[in-house]
């Protein structure tokens, strides 16, 4: 299994765990979710394809999170999934801008 896929799976699992535990006690867990997102963003190979996919996923997660009829647990899972994905998007976007600036 490729390390990028493992980082993605780890990020999703950590997002679910962060959604169901008390993050006031485990204050570091949201930071870990974001950190794994950054690692995943670094491991992405196809920058432009990943940029588009992560933008779409971030938008979809935002819209799903804003739906008023979601149960609380689903809203929490989607929030932490968005933390993971947006941190990955941050690094992929930054690397894309640096690549453009080098040319």
């Amino acid at each position: 299994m490729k390390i990028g896929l493992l980082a993605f799976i780890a990020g999703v699992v950590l997002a679910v765990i962060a959604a169901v535990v008390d993050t006031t006690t485990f204050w570091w867990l949201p930071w870990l979710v974001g950190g794994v997102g950054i690692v995943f963003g670094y491991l992405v190979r196809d920058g432009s394809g990943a940029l588009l996919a992560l933008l779409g996923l971030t938008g979809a997660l935002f819209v799903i999170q804003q739906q008023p009829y979601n149960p609380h647990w689903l809203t929490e899972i989607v929030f932490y999934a968005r933390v993971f994905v947006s941190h990955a998007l941050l690094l992929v976007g930054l690397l894309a801008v640096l690549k453009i600036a080098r040319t």
Side-chain angles (χ1 to χ4, degrees), residues 75-94:
T75 302
E76 290 294 310
I77 290 173
V78 170
F79 171 77
Y80 285 108
R82 199 177 71 176
V83 168
F84 168 68
V85 171
S86 62
H87 280 77
L89 179 61
L90 174 71
L91 193 63
V92 170
L94 178 64

Side-chain angles (χ1 to χ4, degrees), residues 45-64:
R45 297 273 187 246
D46 178 21
S48 59
L51 193 60
L52 185 60
L54 290 169
L55 276 170
L57 191 54
T58 301
L61 289 170
F62 178 77
V63 170
I64 291 169

Side-chain angles (χ1 to χ4, degrees), residues 12-74:
V12 171
V13 168
L14 283 171
V16 171
I17 291 170
V20 298
V21 302
D22 180 21
T23 54
T24 56
T25 303
F26 299 100
W27 59 268
W28 47 268
L29 194 53
W31 289 90
L32 183 62
V33 172
V36 173
I38 290 172
V39 169
F40 173 69
Y42 180 75
L43 295 171
V44 167
R45 297 273 187 246
D46 178 21
S48 59
L51 193 60
L52 185 60
L54 290 169
L55 276 170
L57 191 54
T58 301
L61 289 170
F62 178 77
V63 170
I64 291 169
Q65 184 186 1
Q66 298 305 313
Q67 294 172 345
Y69 47 81
N70 286 340
H72 179 70
W73 59 268
L74 179 61

